[in-house]
Amino acid sequence: MRQGQGQLGEASNAPAGPELMPMREAEMSPAYRSHLFAFPDLADKASVAIPARGIVYYLNLYRELDRGPFRRGDLARLELLMPLLASLIRRHYRQRRPTASPGETEVLEVLSERERQLCQHLLRGHTLKTAAKALDIALSSAETYRKRAYAKLGVRSKAGLLALCRTG
């Protein structure tokens, strides 16, 4: 872990630039490797860590099997793009997050308060892990709330939840 960077989502106040972190299959823990490579079409992963005002954003990049793992030239081109990627991601997250739409409010009213809060975080771009942290609940509790909410709403994924809320 780089100096100035803490746990996922936390950073020190020390200014730092984006950092490319290639993740080779051989360097991954067995549990993570089995999860990531359970998708049969993935060959490799690289992450870009982007520190910004007390938080670190991660942009995960994946390579498909037919393209093979990232090569040195690929990583060098990503390094050149990192300032642009960092600027775009920081700008995106600086923008004010939208409030709940009328369709979202109606769709989520069948949920418990905690299920609704979790879904609202997911709809605003949080991962399950960052939503759990924002709600100050255990990741396992967030997983339970998500399962219950998705079952009540009849959706199977975050994309399904977003589509349902957009259509009302």
Side-chain angles (χ1 to χ4, degrees):
M1 187 175 292
R2 187 177 63 179
Q3 187 177 15
Q5 182 180 333
Q7 295 179 339
L8 176 65
E10 296 176 2
S12 72
N13 290 332
E19 176 184 10
L20 182 64
M21 302 178 304
M23 295 183 68
R24 299 285 183 230
E25 183 178 0
E27 298 167 352
M28 297 176 193
S29 72
Y32 186 79
R33 184 175 37 250
S34 68
H35 174 73
L36 178 66
F37 290 96
F39 301 98
D41 57 341
L42 295 182
D44 200 2
K45 173 185 175 183
S47 294
V48 178
I50 303 163
R53 291 193 192 153
I55 192 163
V56 178
Y57 299 110
Y58 291 90
L59 173 63
N60 294 316
L61 307 164
Y62 299 92
R63 288 286 294 237
E64 297 173 331
L65 279 178
D66 61 340
R67 297 190 68 194
F70 288 105
R71 294 180 296 275
R72 272 189 223 178
D74 300 323
L75 296 173
R77 283 188 290 281
L78 286 172
E79 287 276 356
L80 292 173
L81 289 172
M82 284 188 355
L84 173 63
L85 293 171
S87 174
L88 292 171
I89 288 171
R90 287 181 185 128
R91 182 179 305 157
H92 171 77
Y93 284 102
R94 264 197 312 264
Q95 294 175 353
R96 186 171 172 250
R97 288 283 170 203
T99 57
S101 67
E104 179 183 319
T105 303
E106 289 175 16
V107 168
L108 300 182
E109 70 185 4
V110 300
L111 304 177
S112 73
E113 183 63 26
R114 267 314 205 200
E115 293 164 349
R116 184 175 21 264
Q117 290 171 343
L118 179 70
C119 286
Q120 287 169 335
H121 277 79
L122 295 175
L123 288 166
R124 279 152 190 75
H126 280 266
T127 64
L128 191 62
K129 193 173 194 174
T130 62
K133 185 174 180 172
L135 293 170
D136 196 27
I137 58 174
L139 182 58
S140 59
S141 297
E143 289 169 343
T144 300
Y145 292 133
R146 180 185 62 188
K147 285 178 191 175
R148 289 179 185 165
Y150 284 10
K152 288 178 184 178
L153 298 171
V155 298
R156 301 172 119 199
S157 65
K158 190 190 300 190
L161 175 64
L162 182 60
L164 181 66
C165 289
R166 281 189 176 162
T167 60

